[in-house]
């Protein structure tokens, strides 16, 4: 679990980032910031339903995982740099929806599962002080279930075992 010290470090990084963006001198940083804000406005605030039909998409759902990642990570970034509640509201509603349905969306493909875990972890880290306890608990449970439990399940971890990562 993240502690307040780690959350304070994230706060300091965001503060420094906002200061550098405001200066407007670092072209690479400005391009990245404008790109993230564009994604947040287009996808992070989207009300378009994201669905995954396991029967129709038996092989992969990477497009769905990427939509989820774009939506929650971009809105979390936008909230942190602007403080606008509309971004936080979208993160909260989407994290609740996706975390509640996380198990239904998982596959035997580790890329998709890891992309979702990574996205949830970023949201947890970046928005730690703004997340209700119930949302934090959902994120932790989803990451633990998919990122850890499945990796230790012999029926699901063939790839993990063949990489030599597991002793």
């Amino acid at each position: 679990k993240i502690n307040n010290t780690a959350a304070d470090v994230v706060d300091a990084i965001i503060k420094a980032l906002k200061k550098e963006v405001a200066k407007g001198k670092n072209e690479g940083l400005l391009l990245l910031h404008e790109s993230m804000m564009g994604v947040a406005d287009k996808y992070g605030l989207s009300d378009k339903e994201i669905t995954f039909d396991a029967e129709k998409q038996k092989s992969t759902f990477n497009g769905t995982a990427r939509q989820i990642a774009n939506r929650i990570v971009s809105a979390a970034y936008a909230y942190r740099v602007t403080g606008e509640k509309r971004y936080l509201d979208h993160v909260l509603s989407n994290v609740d929806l996706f975390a509640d349905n996380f198990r239904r969306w998982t596959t035997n493909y580790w890329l998709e599962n890891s992309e979702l875990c990574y996205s949830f972890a970023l949201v947890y880290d970046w928005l730690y002080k703004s997340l209700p306890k119930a949302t934090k608990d959902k994120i932790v449970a989803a990451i633990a279930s998919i990122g850890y439990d499945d990796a230790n399940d012999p029926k699901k971890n063939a790839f993990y075992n063949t990489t030599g990562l597991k002793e």
Side-chain angles (χ1 to χ4, degrees):
K1 289 186 174 182
I2 192 168
N3 59 37
N4 285 338
T5 303
D8 292 338
V9 170
V10 172
D11 288 346
I13 292 168
I14 296 295
K15 183 178 179 180
L17 173 84
K18 289 167 61 173
K19 184 177 178 181
E20 288 302 309
V21 167
K23 285 181 186 176
K25 294 182 179 179
N26 183 328
E27 289 181 29
L29 180 62
L30 285 174
L31 181 62
L32 178 63
H33 170 72
E34 289 168 7
S35 175
M36 284 294 288
M37 291 303 297
V39 171
D41 288 337
K42 183 174 182 178
Y43 298 108
L45 293 177
S46 175
D47 288 324
K48 181 181 177 191
E49 182 180 9
I50 295 177
T51 60
F52 172 65
D53 185 336
E55 293 303 314
K56 290 181 181 175
Q57 296 170 274
K58 287 185 180 183
S59 63
T60 183
F61 82 118
N62 192 264
T64 303
R66 187 129 324 118
Q67 287 177 56
I68 295 167
N70 284 341
R71 186 173 287 186
I72 64 175
V73 170
S74 66
Y77 173 84
Y79 173 69
R80 285 308 309 257
V81 298
T82 68
E84 293 181 31
K85 191 173 179 316
R86 65 188 178 129
Y87 293 112
L88 178 61
D89 291 343
H90 269 267
V91 171
L92 294 175
S93 65
N94 283 288
V95 165
D96 285 345
L97 171 68
F98 301 139
D100 286 343
N101 291 286
F102 205 67
R103 175 57 65 195
R104 183 173 60 88
W105 284 326
T106 61
T107 69
N108 292 323
Y109 297 90
W110 288 96
L111 177 60
E112 292 89 349
N113 295 346
S114 64
E115 199 164 349
L116 290 172
C117 287
Y118 177 70
S119 300
F120 278 116
L122 284 177
V123 167
Y124 187 91
D125 194 28
W126 291 352
L127 302 182
Y128 184 80
K129 292 180 179 180
S130 300
L131 295 174
K133 182 177 180 339
T135 302
K136 290 177 193 172
D137 291 346
K138 284 181 184 182
I139 291 172
V140 170
I143 292 172
S145 173
I146 305 309
Y148 182 77
D149 294 343
D150 282 0
N152 287 295
D153 182 343
K155 295 176 185 169
K156 298 179 181 178
N157 65 5
F159 172 79
Y160 185 62
N161 284 331
T162 61
T163 62
L165 296 173
K166 188 171 182 174
E167 296 293 319

